[in-house]
Amino acid sequence: LVMLNVRDRDMGSFVDEAKEVLASRLDLPDGYSLNWSGQYENQIRAKKRLSTLLPVVLLIILLLLFITFRSIGETLLVVLSIPFALVGGVILQWILGYNFSVAVWVGYIALSGIAIETGVVMLIYLNEALDRHITAGQVTKNAILQAAMEGSVLRLRPKLMTVATSLIGLLPIMWSTGTGSDVMKPIATPVVGGIVTSLILILIVLPVLWSLLKEWEHRRGRLRYSGMGHGGEENVIGT
């Protein structure tokens, strides 16, 4: 039995490299075998479960988003918030020097949920603003742009409050040194970094992409009243 403590690198890459070295330099006698156990075994088991569950969960999320918005374009806009959030998580993880582990992946899963939730709320605000223009009979390119600005302004304060409260709650974990901090810090790191970059997407990039999508739908006669605010009708607005 040989016990190892891996430091300053992720456990998976260390074990992979160690396996290559042992395979080239170690000749085991007949009847002997070599197994890697402990935290590495737990990590492999967790990865297998996540590799099975994550695609299923993502498929369910896509289905629910499509049912909510009844639009492939808007569904993809919400999903786009995930990579924008992951960018911030990866950057902060790199700055703080954390290696990939099960705890870090749990943080990214939590971050993805937050990003999708905020993306959904932003699109609801934007669609409600556009619905008001459609109800008033103002269906033009300028009306779509105006709706994008109105929805973004209405969402600005709630989004800033969400980011502020999340950071206030997570930053003490980032500075903690007590029992359990070695697990909680890797979980909180992706969330803290991703919330910042997600803020940029939600308030700036997403409204722009949404307005481009709605302009495209309007030119092709596919723009419709969403009814998200009032459960209204399904009128399609042409050019």
Side-chain angles (χ1 to χ4, degrees):
L1 176 63
V2 179
M3 301 186 65
L4 298 172
N5 288 321
V6 180
R7 298 180 182 275
D8 300 328
R9 63 180 301 181
D10 65 287
M11 189 180 303
S13 65
F14 168 80
V15 174
D16 292 338
E17 185 177 338
K19 286 181 177 180
E20 294 179 0
V21 173
L22 292 177
S24 61
R25 300 183 182 181
L26 179 64
D27 293 327
L28 292 175
D30 294 337
Y32 286 81
S33 62
L34 178 64
N35 294 314
W36 295 86
S37 186
Q39 293 184 6
Y40 172 74
E41 187 178 23
N42 294 333
Q43 180 173 326
I44 294 300
R45 188 183 300 112
K47 284 184 177 180
K48 288 182 179 179
R49 291 177 179 175
L50 289 176
S51 63
T52 302
L53 293 176
L54 285 181
V56 176
V57 172
L58 182 59
L59 182 61
I60 294 175
I61 291 174
L62 289 174
L63 179 61
L64 292 176
L65 289 175
F66 181 76
I67 293 174
T68 300
F69 294 105
R70 290 161 291 176
S71 169
I72 296 178
E74 293 187 18
T75 299
L76 295 178
L77 286 181
V78 175
V79 175
L80 184 63
S81 61
I82 296 179
F84 267 83
L86 295 182
V87 168
V90 171
I91 292 176
L92 186 57
Q93 178 188 345
W94 174 74
I95 292 175
L96 297 180
Y98 288 115
N99 299 307
F100 279 99
S101 63
V102 175
V104 171
W105 284 115
V106 170
Y108 280 113
I109 293 173
L111 172 62
S112 300
I114 295 174
I116 290 179
E117 180 184 6
T118 54
V120 168
V121 175
M122 172 57 84
L123 282 189
I124 290 177
Y125 273 72
L126 295 174
N127 284 329
E128 287 181 350
L130 182 60
D131 285 349
R132 289 193 291 270
H133 286 272
I134 292 176
T135 303
Q138 301 172 352
V139 188
T140 63
K141 179 179 179 181
N142 290 333
I144 294 174
L145 295 176
Q146 185 66 27
M149 288 186 288
E150 292 173 359
S152 301
V153 170
L154 290 174
R155 181 59 184 148
L156 176 61
R157 184 167 60 180
K159 178 59 178 176
L160 292 178
M161 292 175 63
T162 301
V163 171
T165 53
S166 299
L167 292 178
I168 291 173
L170 292 174
L171 286 179
I173 298 177
M174 302 291 296
W175 296 328
S176 63
T177 57
T179 303
S181 61
D182 56 332
V183 176
M184 295 305 299
K185 283 183 178 180
I187 295 177
T189 296
V191 180
V192 172
I195 284 177
V196 176
T197 52
S198 176
L199 175 65
I200 299 174
L201 168 74
I202 297 300
L203 295 180
I204 300 176
V205 180
L206 190 59
V208 173
L209 296 178
W210 175 85
S211 63
L212 293 175
L213 174 64
K214 292 304 176 181
E215 290 176 14
W216 179 83
E217 290 180 351
H218 182 251
R219 288 196 301 269
R220 284 158 178 76
R222 300 179 182 178
L223 184 64
R224 61 181 176 79
Y225 183 92
S226 69
M228 289 188 175
H230 308 89
E233 64 272 17
E234 292 285 333
N235 294 336
V236 176
I237 311 300
T239 55

